Amino acid sequence: MPIGGVRAGLLRVREVISLSVAWDDIGGLVDAHERFLAGASVDADVRGPVLESWKRCRSVGLQPQHLLLPYEAGLTLDDRVLRAAEPVLADLRTTLAEMGTAIALCDARGRLIQRLGGDRHLCDRLDEVHFAPGFDASEPVAGTNGVGTALAQRGPVYVVGREHFADCLQPFACAGAPVRNPLSGRIEAVLDLTCLRDDGDPAMLRLVRTAARDIEGLLLDQATDRERALLAAYRRAGLEAGGAPRSGRSVPGHGADHDGVALGRIDLAVLRERAEELIASPLRTLDEVALPSGRVATLLRRRITGPAGEAGAAVEARILGGPRLTGFGLPATPPDTPPAPPPATPPVTPPATSPVTPPTTPPTGATQPAPPGTSPAAPPTTPPVTPPITPPTGATPPTPEATAAAAAGAPPAPQPPETVGDLLDGAEQRLLLVGEPGVGRLAVLARRRLELLHEAGLRIGTTLDVTRTAEELAEVTVDRFADFVAVDLPDAVLRGEDPETFGGLSALRRVAIRSVRTRPANLYDVGDTVEYVPSTPQARCLETHQSVMESVLAEAGGWLAQDPARLERVLAAGAHSLIAVPLRARGTTLGVVSFYRSVRPASFEEDDLSLAQELVLRAAVCIDNARRYTREHNTALTLQRSLLPKGRPEPSAVEVAYRYLPAHAGVGGDWFDVIALSGARVALVVGDVVGHGLHAAATMGRLRTAVHNFCSLDLPPDDLLAHLDDLVGRLDHGEGWAVESTQADSGIVGATCLYAVYDPVSRRCSLTRAGHPLPAVVAPDGTVEFVDLPAGQPLGLGGMPFETVELELDEGSQLVLYTDGLVEDRLRDIDAGLDRLRTVLAAVGRTPEDTCEAVLDSLLPNRPSDDVALLVARTHALGPDRVAQWDLPSDPAVVSRARTAVTGQLAAWDLDDLAFTTELVASELVTNAIRHAIGPVQLRLLRDRALICEVSDGSSTSPRLRRARTEDEGGRGLFLVARLTERWGTRHTPYGKVIWAEQPLPRPR
């Protein structure tokens, strides 16, 4: 339809269509758009192309309320496309001058090149949403719109109002259509018409499609004489085989065969790729292609010659079981069907005609359809020996049907369409490619190399493991580039170190090999040490940092010098060419890669050398990244292990077992501790600093040291966590001294901690947590309970007090403390992990070691994503036979009775050697309590791993160690206690304080 003829139709139906669109936009699409975003089904309410576009937008994570279009200056199109588009755009702008519609021309990636027309109000609105030259309107960036969706659908689209995925584009209506290269079928540009939503009209779709076809026709006019001659030669070859205009036309981008089975873009892309390979192979004429959709196609390569001697080749396709296809995919007209009169001028696009009956004779190389009621013939499995069809040079003699028609006075049959790009739209269309074999071979090789580089970028470097990255390089290149690949690295690289610092590259280790068939037994295996002699290609490339290619290995004396007897057998096994490439990244040589060819006959060429260098360069960067990561990981792991407890703690109050497993991705901030307290008590601590790496490990060390210091003060659990919370807050804010810090905040807020204190005398356990997972208690009978402990907030947030819970534990109970990495990961929530932990812990008679093993075997994956710290403590009780206690009145006369009681108890415990010292210590502590404190006084002796003497009173004032002068009469009591005992201290209780002193027990005689 001419462009000018559309204007009147637009004006006549505008009012009715606008009202209808506005009602649909407000009533149905608003709800449908919101329901789609909420995950509801809207299949019946939204047009198919729009719904598919919405799904694509959601799959790439596009958010309707956030639209950020990237800008790139200096964009342009190919001169041929611009020359073809210029007159069409000028005519289109004149037609739409009074209709408030803007015209946009975009490149094949959806980036806007030109914007024409539109009134000032529309242009301002378009500028607000960055629909202007230089901005990207592709669908993954801008969502559903006339440009991006037409490009994604590879066909014309119409989008109005709420059909746009992005909120800011919903005030508009737009229609877009791709512009294809008529010779290659490749999309060169996208044409778009945009107006305000109320001015939208579905007829815009037909208008933009017509304009796109006009541009394609002008592009065809710019084709070279040789291109047009080859097309004409192919057309004559098709007509000579009985071709004539076919009936109808398939929907663009959705071709269908005779059964109506659609062939998608992937099928067409596969056909075109195999056609390029066939046209590049001068010795092949047929190929059979299994399409992703499940169909099977037969490709035929035909030589064609133009009037001036232009030699080329064409590839035709036929879907097995379909009708015979000829020419430009046009079924032959039966002799009794009069052909239609030819048009006055050759059409640019194929006209719609009435249906015709398919021919009965298939072209050479195609499969004859089976008669009704019989099975179709099997497709050919090997190329036929008959030569390809070659039309004669020059004018083509008329066919018998044409001669008969001319004798009857009938006009000659119309010529097939000139546009080749349209032939890719339907499965019934046969012509896939026209070109020259030599150029085709180079194009196929270049495409294969680009595909290999693309796949290498996707598959190499998926992990930060040096060995695995080397294996990925071998896996990608074998069979597609080489027949055997070996990667050799020094041990220093495997450890994460700089190879030049640790002896250079004199000795390498083979870390990866790959072969298309059984690996040659005479080559080095994985793990073997390889020392290349100076004459080998590998040694030369390591020394010069340049790649070395040996096209003929049999003549490479330097390579044979490595091990003549062994390598002669390698040559006998078929190896004939080699490329050795040094693995270099960031100025450091990391190893060498050897590519061998043995199965394929072709030796390596110069282009192969460039490809090998590019592949190894990409792999070298990934290996260097993995090496640096390994070094940082080992450093952080060493730091963290140096900050964790050394050896196994052996307090008498509990029997302890523990496990620490760093995350596979990197060390973190998990830690645990078992700290001996006064009075035979023990503190159990488990903590977790959020994050991984050196910073998390260093922060963990600081917090662990702080907990040790606070424990030396014998603070209650809630007070200890309060002090720790205050410390983390000060650390997180630069410790209060950096007034104008230029460094970013390290951000250690997020540390969690669980602190528990167990007293073996009373068998009571006090617990407090700061955002940490709940501890578990396993009773001696196997019953498992998670302690109902208030969560508290993570350390560093401040402002809220921590709560303590006390519970009495039976002797032999197990207290299980852990970090969240044990019960929670990306594939399992914490509730499921706790349920599984409860099941594993429910056992009787296990030792702490057995409990640790059972828990890790059941709950941990092979490659944990987070650190795991597990601490299991089985409780013991300090029985009455090891505890002596006396309540004393506040009377100085009681001191002598206290000394006597202490002496008698030590005699009963067979500790007479400690009687004098203990008697003196008890006398001084009791005297100070009676003289300086208030309330009842209590004296207690504990026989544990040490002899503990405790005196408690009702005062909260702590005594102070003094150094009395010569003339002072007092002040020497605590000084004597400190000198006579191993350690002493004070701890506060809810009712006062306790002063304690410890003496080591004498060794057994």
Side-chain angles (χ1 to χ4, degrees), residues 270-283:
V270 170
L271 285 175
R272 181 177 178 84
E273 178 179 342
R274 296 294 290 271
E276 291 176 355
E277 296 177 358
L278 190 59
I279 208 172
S281 305
L283 301 180

Side-chain angles (χ1 to χ4, degrees), residues 902-951:
V902 168
T903 303
Q905 184 62 53
L906 292 181
W909 285 343
D910 195 19
L911 296 175
D912 294 316
D913 292 344
L914 300 178
F916 176 77
T917 303
T918 308
E919 180 183 1
L920 180 58
V921 169
S923 175
E924 290 294 334
L925 294 181
V926 170
T927 300
N928 285 341
I930 293 174
R931 181 178 297 178
H932 302 291
I934 60 174
V937 178
Q938 186 182 79
L939 173 63
R940 187 170 73 165
L941 294 180
L942 303 175
R943 182 182 179 182
D944 191 37
R945 296 180 182 274
L947 179 63
I948 304 170
C949 179
E950 297 181 345
V951 175

Side-chain angles (χ1 to χ4, degrees), residues 237-252:
L239 290 177
E240 184 181 53
R246 75 182 178 108
S247 62
R249 189 172 161 77
S250 60
V251 179

Side-chain angles (χ1 to χ4, degrees), residues 453-782:
L453 288 175
H454 174 70
E455 185 173 354
L458 296 177
R459 294 178 54 187
I460 299 177
T462 59
T463 67
L464 287 173
D465 182 84
V466 174
T467 301
R468 179 56 192 154
T469 304
E471 292 172 349
E472 290 170 344
L473 171 62
E475 291 170 0
V476 169
T477 52
V478 164
D479 192 29
R480 298 183 61 178
F481 177 70
D483 300 323
F484 177 81
V485 176
V487 183
D488 303 321
L489 304 176
D491 290 336
V493 172
L494 298 177
R495 296 192 303 265
E497 305 295 344
D498 190 338
E500 297 177 357
T501 308
F502 292 85
L505 300 173
S506 57
L508 304 177
R509 188 170 303 279
R510 181 143 297 177
V511 297
I513 56 175
R514 189 82 172 184
S515 177
V516 294
R517 58 186 183 185
T518 304
R519 183 184 59 82
N522 303 305
L523 290 178
Y524 299 99
D525 204 347
V526 171
D528 291 348
T529 301
V530 184
E531 295 189 18
Y532 290 106
V533 299
S535 62
T536 58
Q538 291 87 349
R540 299 204 312 268
C541 79
L542 289 174
E543 181 180 0
T544 63
H545 301 163
Q546 300 293 326
S547 302
V548 177
M549 181 174 67
E550 295 288 356
S551 299
V552 183
L553 274 179
E555 302 174 1
W559 176 75
L560 288 169
Q562 175 73 23
D563 190 340
R566 171 184 291 186
L567 297 183
E568 285 288 353
R569 292 193 295 270
V570 173
L571 289 176
H576 57 77
S577 59
L578 161 70
I579 291 180
V581 185
L583 272 162
R584 284 185 57 81
R586 302 179 178 97
T588 301
T589 302
L590 305 173
V592 63
V593 183
S594 304
F595 300 96
Y596 291 86
R597 280 188 177 173
S598 56
V599 177
R600 63 193 73 200
S603 299
F604 286 117
E605 303 174 353
E606 289 297 327
D607 289 342
D608 295 322
L609 182 63
S610 301
L611 178 59
Q613 292 172 341
E614 180 65 25
L615 290 169
V616 173
L617 176 61
R618 298 189 179 197
V621 173
C622 296
I623 289 177
D624 191 49
N625 291 339
R627 177 185 69 88
R628 292 168 180 261
Y629 169 79
T630 301
R631 181 180 60 194
E632 296 298 327
H633 178 79
N634 292 340
T635 302
L637 188 59
T638 302
L639 172 63
Q640 186 182 45
R641 292 196 181 279
S642 68
L643 297 174
L644 290 172
K646 303 295 189 298
R648 184 184 301 277
E650 297 181 354
S652 59
V654 291
E655 178 186 353
V656 174
Y658 60 87
R659 295 290 187 276
Y660 171 76
L661 284 83
H664 180 78
V667 298
D670 292 15
W671 92 92
F672 65 93
D673 228 326
V674 180
I675 305 171
L677 302 178
S678 64
R681 298 171 305 136
V682 64
L684 306 173
V685 191
V686 172
D688 184 2
V689 176
V690 176
H692 295 88
L694 284 174
H695 173 69
T699 302
M700 176 271 291
R702 300 171 80 176
L703 296 184
R704 179 171 178 262
T705 302
V707 171
H708 271 269
N709 292 333
F710 292 144
C711 284
S712 67
L713 301 177
D714 257 326
L715 297 176
D718 53 345
D719 286 350
L720 185 142
L721 283 190
H723 282 75
L724 195 62
D725 176 65
D726 180 64
L727 173 65
V728 172
R730 286 187 284 111
L731 292 176
D732 192 53
H733 291 86
E735 304 189 47
W737 58 268
V739 179
E740 295 183 0
S741 176
T742 58
Q743 296 182 353
D745 188 359
S746 59
I748 65 171
V749 171
T752 65
C753 184
L754 174 63
Y755 184 78
V757 176
Y758 174 68
D759 186 347
V761 178
S762 63
R763 292 187 288 104
R764 299 195 65 82
C765 184
S766 301
L767 304 100
T768 303
R769 64 173 177 149
H772 205 78
L774 290 171
V777 175
V778 184
D781 61 357

